[in-house]
Amino acid sequence: MFVREKRIGAYSYLYLVETVRENGKTKQRIVRNLGRKEMVEARGDLDRLARSAARLSQRSMILSLIEGGGMPDVRCRRIGAPLLFERLWHDSGCRAVVEELLAGVGSSSRSSVRCS
């Protein structure tokens, strides 16, 4: 499926179109008239449709890779608050202090170590 722009008179219209095969010939069939181009752009309909299609296509690609026995190359990046607090934890030295405390305390009394 794709979006096609068609000019009729003074206006441009947008259509959601699919290509189909009928009697051995390919044809384009209009699935949905999206409306006048300036109205579709003003409402943000095309942007929402594109975001939705991109989200679903990414999910489909990952599921296809998993079903095919391959593993997708997916990495997790921390952003926002988790990134900020991880950096503060590391840069302030809190991590080293806690690790030092835990290393100095026997394994039986680790549960009694508390951070304030």
Side-chain angles (χ1 to χ4, degrees):
M1 277 192 217
F2 58 96
V3 175
R4 181 175 67 192
E5 181 178 354
K6 186 175 182 181
R7 189 150 185 85
I8 301 174
Y11 300 105
S12 289
Y13 294 88
L14 297 176
Y15 299 91
L16 185 60
V17 178
E18 69 178 348
T19 303
V20 294
R21 184 174 289 275
E22 291 179 1
N23 301 326
K25 296 181 180 181
T26 58
K27 293 184 178 185
Q28 292 181 353
R29 180 171 51 203
I30 295 173
V31 175
R32 176 93 171 146
N33 178 352
L34 300 175
R36 284 187 19 201
K37 182 179 178 182
E38 60 271 4
M39 298 299 285
V40 171
E41 288 175 345
R43 289 190 313 252
D45 291 346
L46 200 54
D47 292 331
R48 273 194 305 278
L49 180 62
R51 280 194 304 270
S52 176
R55 180 178 45 86
L56 292 173
S57 68
Q58 288 174 354
R59 184 179 302 151
S60 295
M61 286 188 295
I62 290 172
L63 291 174
S64 295
L65 283 171
I66 291 171
E67 287 175 0
M71 276 305 287
D73 183 24
V74 179
R75 291 188 177 92
C76 178
R77 295 185 73 189
R78 292 186 176 141
I79 59 172
L83 176 63
L84 173 69
F85 288 115
E86 181 179 20
R87 286 188 181 166
L88 285 172
W89 176 257
H90 184 268
D91 293 347
S92 67
C94 286
R95 180 184 192 132
V97 171
V98 170
E99 286 176 350
E100 190 175 308
L101 282 172
L102 290 176
V105 176
S107 61
S108 62
S109 60
R110 277 194 183 169
S111 61
S112 65
V113 175
R114 296 179 190 236
C115 299
S116 54

